[in-house]
Amino acid sequence: MKISKSILAAIFILLMVGALAFAAESNGGHEAGSDRMSGMDMQQDEDIFLEEKEIDGYTVSFHVMKAAPGAEQEGSHNLMIKIEEEGRALDDAVVNSKVIAPDGKSESKLLRKMGDWYMNGYDLGEQGKYQLIILFKTPDGEKHNGGVYYETEK
């Protein structure tokens, strides 16, 4: 059975129009006024922390938020790091992290790549000031480090 090129073109156009209509209706998951970050819903409460810091010419975003219910197996909170150079996310760094708790105990973890972010979970349930430290190695082999403080309240 031979199908003409014009029929195939018409079917293709109908499929594209349908896909575009669906995308416009769902708005790609990004409704006006909603808070989205790399596809993740942002909670609107005091459990979200975001601080940017310049480290050796890189813009590093430190982000902490409570783990989603049922996803606390790695920790009560997620530590997320984004490293940017000239406005572009660095996607080929190796990022290690260390968290020093208010009681002085520390824990270190390698961060996993998730979209533009590097992340892992930590238990940050104790009230007080935590020190969040990262050491990252860029593709040129250079190592960079820095950190911020994150304070919790009960």
Side-chain angles (χ1 to χ4, degrees):
M1 184 166 120
K2 197 171 187 180
I3 299 176
S4 74
K5 289 182 182 180
S6 60
I7 292 175
L8 284 175
I11 292 171
F12 177 76
I13 290 170
L14 286 174
L15 288 173
M16 292 302 294
V17 167
L20 290 172
F22 176 77
E25 182 177 310
S26 68
N27 199 15
H30 297 281
E31 297 175 17
S34 71
D35 289 318
R36 297 280 193 170
M37 175 179 269
S38 299
M40 294 182 289
D41 285 323
M42 297 296 288
Q43 303 165 355
Q44 291 297 316
D45 58 34
E46 68 280 352
D47 296 325
I48 296 176
F49 169 85
L50 179 61
E51 186 172 326
E52 284 188 354
K53 184 170 188 171
E54 290 293 320
I55 300 175
D56 299 333
Y58 295 93
T59 302
V60 180
S61 298
F62 290 80
H63 180 43
V64 176
M65 62 188 279
K66 275 193 171 184
E72 300 97 347
Q73 65 273 16
E74 293 181 355
S76 63
H77 291 74
N78 291 317
L79 170 63
M80 302 169 63
I81 303 295
K82 184 176 185 181
I83 305 166
E84 295 176 291
E85 181 178 35
E86 298 177 0
R88 290 186 334 267
L90 207 63
D91 61 355
D92 47 2
V94 177
V95 185
N96 285 297
S97 61
K98 181 177 186 177
V99 172
I100 302 173
D103 64 5
K105 293 181 184 174
S106 66
E107 183 178 10
S108 298
K109 293 183 180 182
L110 181 65
L111 300 185
R112 296 182 308 267
K113 182 84 169 111
M114 301 285 286
D116 286 346
W117 295 82
Y118 296 86
M119 68 174 286
N120 211 328
Y122 280 98
D123 284 319
L124 307 177
E126 182 182 329
Q127 184 176 352
K129 188 183 270 190
Y130 290 83
Q131 188 174 6
L132 312 175
I133 304 167
I134 63 163
L135 169 67
F136 63 98
K137 187 168 126 179
T138 50
D140 60 7
E142 293 294 316
K143 293 180 181 178
H144 314 273
N145 63 58
V148 297
Y149 287 96
Y150 169 71
E151 193 161 359
T152 61
E153 298 176 7
K154 284 272 179 172

